[in-house]
Amino acid sequence: MPSFMKSTVLGALMVSVVSACAVLASSASQAADGRLKEILDRGSVRVGVQGAFKPWSFPATDGSLQGIEVDLAKSVAEALGVKFEPVVITSANRIQMLQQGKIDLIIGGMYDTADRRKVIGIIEPSYWTSGPTLLAKKGVIKDWKDIADKPVCGKQGNAYNKMAETQLKTKLTAYAGNTEGKEALRSGKCVAWLYDDVSIMADLELPEWADYEMPVRTLYTNPWAAAVPLEEQNKGWGVFMTGMAYRWQAEGTLIDLAKKWNVKLDPWFAEQNHKLKWDTSYLAPKN
């Protein structure tokens, strides 16, 4: 082929490719459906976070929110090319706010349970895990059996509260907030605070809890999951978030965030990363 013809053909191909890319970019919003299209058209993604749960989401000195779940939410916004709009939620209102369309996504320390899967779109894989344990004054508790028939403070809405009463035979008083529950422990109204191990480990890093300990092993572990509206789970928004959650595990993002925020790593993170990361062994030279 003469050189001028080759240049002409290559030039035409380049124009076609550039035009195709422009069409794809401009039609991304049109191609999206449901909540994903709403988010792209709005230019922001509204993510429900807890707001006062260090180190997952808590106020920085300038009043903005920071923490592990805030970093995850920001990665979602960045991948979409939209602004991150945090919305503070509580354990009591987060599911309702998602169902009412007041938020697009929950990344807020929520257990993945069978009952929740019936009403919201739980995203897999999970991004964290934790389980119930006890915070108690040093030397008071040595075994789970030690709380039988004794007053224990807990938080309203926790899935393991009923288990504590029926299996561990404790006398549980559940408070609306963490502050009230732990203050009850300080004042001697209960012998221990029943709550997630990750939160108790963070408390024990503070000087104010120097006389306290986590005396018993975590009873069982629960996965934490992000969630979208149930009707969005198998549409573009839910599929997109599944991809994000997969990458958080496969690329080691969660391990990096745990180190960044000084959270003790559970073996679960390494197991998930090993299971989900890309297998490149087939690229290794064969002898």
Side-chain angles (χ1 to χ4, degrees):
M1 180 184 292
S3 60
F4 76 91
M5 287 185 65
K6 189 180 291 182
S7 298
T8 302
V9 172
L10 289 174
L13 284 172
M14 287 298 294
V15 169
S16 298
V17 170
V18 171
S19 299
C21 290
V23 169
L24 286 173
S26 65
S27 62
S29 179
Q30 296 174 359
D33 63 355
R35 185 62 61 90
L36 181 58
K37 178 172 171 44
E38 288 180 32
I39 293 167
L40 294 172
D41 289 346
R42 189 193 311 135
S44 67
V45 57
R46 303 166 304 181
V47 185
V49 296
Q50 300 178 89
F53 191 18
K54 193 175 183 178
W56 284 271
S57 59
F58 61 100
T61 53
D62 64 358
S64 63
L65 289 175
Q66 61 180 347
I68 293 170
E69 291 173 342
V70 174
D71 286 345
L72 294 176
K74 286 180 177 177
S75 75
V76 173
E78 183 179 358
L80 290 169
V82 299
K83 293 181 180 178
F84 164 50
E85 185 179 341
V87 179
V88 174
I89 55 174
T90 67
S91 300
N93 69 14
R94 58 192 173 191
I95 290 178
Q96 190 176 31
M97 289 183 71
L98 188 64
Q99 291 174 322
Q100 293 175 344
K102 294 179 179 177
I103 55 176
D104 305 305
L105 174 68
I106 294 174
I107 307 181
M110 186 178 65
Y111 282 169
D112 174 3
T113 68
D115 286 342
R116 287 175 180 150
R117 281 175 176 253
K118 295 175 183 176
V119 294
I120 55 176
I122 295 290
I123 297 299
E124 296 181 273
S126 305
Y127 68 90
W128 211 269
T129 185
S130 72
T133 188
L134 298 173
L135 174 67
K137 202 144 190 176
K138 289 180 178 176
V140 174
I141 304 289
K142 296 187 182 303
D143 189 276
W144 278 103
K145 295 177 182 176
D146 294 342
I147 63 171
D149 298 322
K150 293 180 180 174
V152 167
C153 299
K155 185 176 180 181
Q156 294 175 6
N158 281 336
Y160 42 76
N161 287 351
K162 188 174 181 180
M163 176 274 299
E165 293 177 312
T166 57
Q167 297 181 23
L168 300 174
K169 309 298 183 185
T170 190
K171 297 175 181 176
L172 184 75
T173 299
Y175 292 83
N178 292 21
T179 302
E180 298 96 313
K182 288 187 286 189
E183 188 54 40
L185 171 63
R186 284 181 191 278
S187 61
K189 294 180 180 176
C190 48
V191 296
W193 162 244
L194 174 70
Y195 203 57
D196 285 357
D197 54 359
V198 290
S199 176
I200 290 177
M201 282 190 280
D203 285 337
L204 291 174
E205 294 291 324
L206 303 174
E208 65 191 271
W209 293 104
D211 294 333
Y212 290 77
E213 63 180 348
M214 195 170 76
V216 294
R217 62 177 175 80
T218 301
L219 204 54
Y220 58 88
T221 58
N222 294 279
W224 297 13
V228 299
L230 184 60
E231 65 275 14
E232 296 287 335
Q233 189 169 26
N234 295 318
K235 291 184 178 179
W237 182 219
V239 172
F240 172 83
M241 278 309 307
T242 298
M244 290 297 299
Y246 178 86
R247 285 177 177 272
W248 292 338
Q249 293 286 5
E251 296 178 349
T253 303
L254 297 165
I255 294 174
D256 292 341
L257 287 176
K259 293 176 180 174
K260 173 184 174 181
W261 293 99
N262 196 30
V263 177
K264 185 179 179 181
L265 276 174
D266 187 280
W268 179 83
F269 291 93
E271 292 168 5
Q272 294 298 307
N273 178 245
H274 179 73
K275 183 172 73 174
L276 297 174
K277 71 181 179 182
W278 291 278
D279 181 5
T280 58
S281 59
Y282 67 96
L283 296 174
K286 303 278 190 300
N287 294 327

